[in-house]
Amino acid sequence: MGNIILGIETSCDETAASVVVDGKEVLSNIISSQVDIHRKFGGVVPEVASRKHMENINMIIDEALGQAGLGLSEIDGVAVTYGPGLVGALLVGLSTAKALAYALDKPLIAVNHIEGHIYANFIVDPNLRFPLICLVVSGGHTDLVFMPGHGRYEHLGGTRDDAAGEAFDKVARFLKLGYPGGPAIEKLSFDGDPDAVNLPRAYLEKGSYDFSFSGLKTAVLNYHSKQSKNDGRSLNDLAASFQQAVVDVLVDKTVDAAEEHRVETVLLAGGVAANLRLRKSLGDRIMGKGLDFSVPPLALCTDNAAMIACAGGYRYARGDFAPLTLNAYPRLNLGEDRY
Ligand code: KG4
Ligand code: ZN
C-alpha cells in the first residue's frame, strides 16, 4: 500500500495515537487511559472524558511520532475516529486531526470506531481470507457482521438491549466489583464453576442473529439478592456462570452465521474479545470446523489508535479521503460513510 498513517482515537475514555505503516506495521501505539478517574464514578463521565482528552491529546500524538522516529512531515495521512462514541470526546480527536491534516496538507481519513476494532485483526494478519464473519463485542456494541471484502459490511444482527460489555459492566457494578466490569468478572470466574448457577440464555427467534442480555442480567441480580449469605466462593461461581451464559450465546450465533454464509474466516473483535473464555471457546469451535479464526492480541482488543491507523491505511489505499468539514456522529453505523 505504501502509506504511513497517524491514527487518533478519543471516542470514549482512552486518549490514543499511533503510527502504522501499510495497515500492518505498528511503529508506535500510545494509550492514555482515564479509567482510574472514571472508576471513582462507576463509569465514564462524558464531560470529564472530553476535558482529559483535551489535556492529553497533543502530548500523546507527540509521543506516538517520537516513538515511531518520524516527524509530522513524514506522515501520509491522518486517520481519526468520527463515531460512534461520546460526541464531546469524539470532537477532541476530530478537531485535532482536522487541524493537522489542514496544516500538513495531507488527507484526512474518517474511520468508524467499530471498523477500527475489526481491522485490529488485519494488523495481525493482512492476508485474512474473505468472505468472513466478524463478531464485534465491546462496551457499546454486540454485532455480527458479514464482510465480502475490505470496507464492505453487511449487518446480520446486533443487541436489542445491553451490549455484551455493558452487561459485564452492569453486573459487576451490582456485585460491587468496580469499573470496568469485564476484567473483574473474568478474574473471579477463574476460581468459579461455570455450571454452578443455572442462568437463562436468550437465543431469540430461530435464525435470528440478534442478541439480548437484559434477561440474563436481571437473572443474575435476582439470584444474588435472594442469596442469604454471599461468601466469596458463591461470587466466583456466579461470575463464572454469568460469563459462560454470555459466551455460549455469542459463540453459538457466530458459528451459525459462519455456516449459513459459508465463510472462510471468523474474526473476533472489541474490548470483550479480551475475555479468555470467549477467545478459546469461539476459536475451538471455528477451527474445529476447519475455518480460519483470528482475534487480536489483548492490547489491540480494547480501545487503541493502531486499529484506527490500520483501518485508515486501507481507506487511504482506496483514495477514500474525507473533507475537512467532517463532523462527529455519536451513532454512526458500520458501513455508513457520512461525508
Ligand atoms: O472496545 P472497548 O475497549 O470500548 C468500547 O468501544 O466500548 O470495550 C470495553 C468493554 C467494557 O465493557 C469492558 O468491561 C469489556 O470491554 N471488557 C471485557 C474484558 N476486558 C474488557 N469483558 C469481558 N472480559 C474481559 N476480559
Ligand atoms: Zn471500542
Side-chain angles (χ1 to χ4, degrees), residues 260-283:
E260 186 188 331
H261 290 268
R262 299 171 192 280
V263 297
E264 305 266 350
T265 313
V266 171
L267 314 185
L268 177 58
V272 183
N275 186 277
L276 298 180
R277 190 96 185 173
L278 176 59
R279 296 166 80 91
K280 177 152 177 26
S281 304
L282 186 59

Side-chain angles (χ1 to χ4, degrees), residues 113 117 138 303 307:
H113 181 77
H117 274 301
S138 72
D303 288 349
M307 68 188 197

Side-chain angles (χ1 to χ4, degrees), residues 114 118 131-136 141-148 152-160 203-211 250-263 265-267 333-335:
I114 302 301
I118 294 174
L132 56 82
I133 291 280
C134 186
L135 172 67
V136 187
H141 287 262
T142 306
D143 291 311
L144 262 174
V145 180
F146 174 71
M147 283 182 74
R152 294 163 61 202
Y153 309 96
E154 191 186 315
H155 193 251
L156 302 180
T159 184
R160 294 187 186 168
Y203 286 96
L204 307 174
E205 315 83 57
K206 197 165 167 36
S208 168
Y209 293 122
D210 279 350
F211 299 89
L250 291 175
V251 170
D252 288 345
K253 294 218 175 209
T254 307
V255 170
D256 285 352
E259 285 181 336
E260 186 188 331
H261 290 268
R262 299 171 192 280
V263 297
T265 313
V266 171
L267 314 185
N333 291 316
L334 189 60

Side-chain angles (χ1 to χ4, degrees), residues 16 35 51 60 103 111 144 184 186 198 264 278 320 335:
V35 71
R51 182 147 35 85
I60 296 298
V111 176
L144 262 174
E186 174 169 48
N198 190 11
E264 305 266 350
L278 176 59
D320 181 354

Side-chain angles (χ1 to χ4, degrees), residues 52-276:
K52 286 288 154 194
H53 285 314
M54 297 250 282
E55 285 169 22
N56 288 327
I57 186 78
N58 290 334
M59 197 175 61
I60 296 298
I61 291 173
D62 281 351
E63 221 175 305
L65 289 165
Q67 208 176 88
L70 295 174
L72 271 176
S73 60
E74 290 164 282
I75 298 296
D76 294 315
V78 184
V80 64
T81 307
Y82 74 116
L86 303 168
V87 70
L90 288 165
L91 281 170
V92 177
L94 182 58
S95 319
T96 309
K98 285 199 227 177
L100 280 175
Y102 178 71
L104 300 170
D105 196 20
K106 293 285 162 67
L108 176 71
I109 306 155
V111 176
N112 179 305
H113 181 77
I114 302 301
E115 169 190 23
H117 274 301
I118 294 174
Y119 269 80
N121 281 286
F122 289 95
I123 296 176
V124 185
D125 182 0
N127 300 314
L128 290 169
R129 290 181 300 163
F130 291 101
L132 56 82
I133 291 280
C134 186
L135 172 67
V136 187
V137 271
S138 72
H141 287 262
T142 306
D143 291 311
L144 262 174
V145 180
F146 174 71
M147 283 182 74
H150 279 295
R152 294 163 61 202
Y153 309 96
E154 191 186 315
H155 193 251
L156 302 180
T159 184
R160 294 187 186 168
D161 38 61
D162 294 340
E166 194 179 358
F168 272 94
D169 293 337
K170 286 180 176 172
V171 165
R173 190 182 309 167
F174 182 78
L175 300 179
K176 301 199 169 45
L177 302 175
Y179 172 87
I185 289 185
E186 174 169 48
K187 199 161 161 235
L188 279 180
S189 77
F190 291 132
D191 294 315
D193 172 7
D195 299 320
V197 186
N198 190 11
L199 294 169
R201 284 138 173 84
Y203 286 96
L204 307 174
E205 315 83 57
K206 197 165 167 36
S208 168
Y209 293 122
D210 279 350
F211 299 89
S212 167
F213 295 109
S214 70
L216 170 63
K217 178 187 66 189
T218 309
V220 172
L221 306 196
N222 285 342
Y223 178 88
H224 186 70
S225 336
K226 278 195 201 117
Q227 274 189 317
S228 49
K229 69 170 172 36
N230 291 297
D231 53 72
R233 171 78 207 153
S234 66
L235 208 55
N236 290 89
D237 284 346
L238 186 56
S241 302
F242 163 75
Q243 175 178 271
Q244 192 60 47
V246 175
V247 167
D248 281 349
V249 179
L250 291 175
V251 170
D252 288 345
K253 294 218 175 209
T254 307
V255 170
D256 285 352
E259 285 181 336
E260 186 188 331
H261 290 268
R262 299 171 192 280
V263 297
E264 305 266 350
T265 313
V266 171
L267 314 185
L268 177 58
V272 183
N275 186 277
L276 298 180

